[in-house]
Amino acid sequence: SVPKDKAAEIIRQQLGAGGSPEEGFVPAIKSGISELKSAGAALAGRTGVMDTERAKQIMAEEEAYQKRTFKPTEKGWTEAPVTKFTELLGGSIPYVAAPLIAGGAATLGGAPALAATGLGALASGAQFTGQFLKRQVDEGTPLEKTNLAAAGTAGAAAGALDLLSFKMFPAIRGIF
């Protein structure tokens, strides 16, 4: 039998709710997923899909989770190339997943390539728009006063570039 305090510590560590933030792939992917949730809350709150106060609460909770979970290595690329690469990969996977899933689902559903590409671009553009809104909030603009038009325009352009980069990978090219 495990003592209650030890069991609570194990649970907190497994949930990322205690202890020190860690380096590496798994903490990076957890932080990336959390960052994506925060960006989604910013977009939902700014567009009226979600109550603004609730969106701000989610953003704050996710930021706290990220700080508890992940601390990028302070070593340089020459000292820890594998750690740097796996952290970069882990932080990127959540952002790559939604456009690939949207495009892949459309392709598997028999949609024409143009529709699959459009869905992938829409998912990617929405992610970037949320990130750009969140950045405005991080820089001190209240969520209610963020510039949705600027974030949306930049998000659409970034999403298009993102999809263009997907076409460079042979394994992904067929999805879009």
Side-chain angles (χ1 to χ4, degrees):
S1 165
V2 177
K4 285 184 183 181
D5 58 335
K6 182 67 176 168
E9 180 182 332
I10 291 169
I11 291 170
R12 277 194 303 277
Q13 287 176 346
Q14 292 297 315
L15 296 175
S20 299
E22 297 179 11
E23 300 176 350
F25 176 78
V26 173
I29 200 166
K30 287 179 178 181
S31 181
I33 292 168
S34 176
E35 180 68 31
L36 194 55
K37 288 179 189 177
S38 183
L43 180 59
R46 184 61 178 96
T47 58
V49 173
M50 175 187 292
D51 176 68
T52 307
E53 292 305 314
R54 177 68 180 129
K56 289 190 230 180
Q57 179 185 3
I58 291 170
M59 291 166 64
E61 289 170 358
E62 294 303 328
E63 183 176 344
Y65 174 80
Q66 293 160 31
K67 287 179 180 176
R68 287 191 315 266
T69 306
F70 176 58
K71 181 178 187 265
T73 185
E74 294 178 5
K75 295 177 183 171
W77 279 93
T78 56
E79 298 172 284
V82 173
T83 302
K84 290 292 240 187
F85 178 76
T86 58
E87 288 178 351
L88 179 63
L89 181 64
S92 299
I93 286 175
Y95 290 95
V96 172
L100 289 178
I101 291 168
T107 301
L108 290 175
L114 185 60
T117 300
L119 285 174
L122 183 64
S124 185
Q127 289 176 336
F128 280 112
T129 300
Q131 279 184 281
F132 297 152
L133 288 169
K134 188 174 171 312
R135 179 167 294 146
Q136 291 177 44
V137 171
D138 291 345
E139 292 173 352
T141 305
L143 182 58
E144 303 85 356
K145 296 191 187 274
T146 53
N147 189 334
L148 181 58
T153 301
L161 289 172
D162 204 31
L163 235 48
L164 183 63
S165 70
F166 285 159
K167 294 215 173 254
M168 304 296 176
F169 294 98
I172 298 173
R173 185 180 311 147
I175 294 174
F176 299 103

